[in-house]
Amino acid sequence: ADMRVSEALYTRAMKRREVDPSEARQLLETAAEQGYGQASLAIAEMYGKGSCGHEVEPTKCAYWLYRGASAGCVAAMFELGRCYDSGFGTDGDPEMALYWYRKARDGGCAWAAQRLDREPKPVEAPAPRSRSVEVPWVLLISVCIALFSVAVAMYHPAFADHP
């Protein structure tokens, strides 16, 4: 469908929202069905806030955010990330939240960039330790000195037991 038509439907719906919520909802659904992400975002907002004759329905809100995000609406990507972050309308999934925050940031959403800046940075795991036994150097040197002393005592004539 021509995006200009979808955009016109969306614009008309936003103007009619307060006057005739039912008509606004129908116009938005038509625009959303044609792939206009902003319309999906507006429908999600209706379900998320319980406006335009809708009850608050978190699952439907998340569904319409997904539709908008999939259509390329950056604001819907960010809001969907928030849903996954909080569990609103979703099972809550930190990895999915980060996925949608990154998509929104990459689309130019400053709020998503700020949210990702608060995310703890991955810590590098320490290098795996060798399976060989690590002997402290001091102990190793002490053993060497002791063995050297025993060798000297055994073979040096000054330490011999015989006259």
Side-chain angles (χ1 to χ4, degrees), residues 24-97:
R25 187 174 54 242
Q26 288 173 344
L27 292 169
L28 287 172
E29 287 177 4
T30 301
E33 292 298 330
Q34 293 175 0
Y36 194 66
Q38 286 294 118
S40 295
L41 176 64
I43 295 169
E45 182 182 331
M46 289 179 203
Y47 283 114
K49 293 182 178 180
S51 61
C52 289
H54 289 289
E55 296 292 321
V56 173
E57 295 186 52
T59 304
K60 287 185 179 181
C61 174
Y63 167 78
W64 284 103
L65 285 172
Y66 177 79
R67 294 276 307 262
S70 298
C73 178
V74 174
M77 293 173 192
F78 175 72
E79 293 299 330
L80 186 57
R82 288 181 59 199
C83 285
Y84 278 111
D85 217 0
S86 68
F88 184 81
T90 68
D91 289 335
D93 184 337
E95 291 301 314
M96 286 300 292

Side-chain angles (χ1 to χ4, degrees), residues 135-153:
V135 179
W137 283 104
V138 174
L139 178 61
L140 187 59
I141 291 171
S142 299
V143 169
C144 287
I145 291 172
L147 289 174
F148 179 73
S149 299
V150 169
V152 168

Side-chain angles (χ1 to χ4, degrees), residues 2 8-9 12 22 42 54 65 84 91 94 109 130 132 137 148 162:
D2 184 2
L9 289 169
R12 178 161 170 74
S22 178
H54 289 289
L65 285 172
Y84 278 111
D91 289 335
C109 179
S130 169
S132 65
W137 283 104
F148 179 73
H162 49 78

Side-chain angles (χ1 to χ4, degrees), residues 3 5-8 12 53 62 64 72 81 87 93 97 103 110 112-113 117 128 132 147 151 153 155 158:
M3 280 299 136
V5 172
S6 299
E7 187 174 356
R12 178 161 170 74
W64 284 103
D93 184 337
K103 295 269 292 180
D117 285 344
S132 65
L147 289 174
Y155 296 106

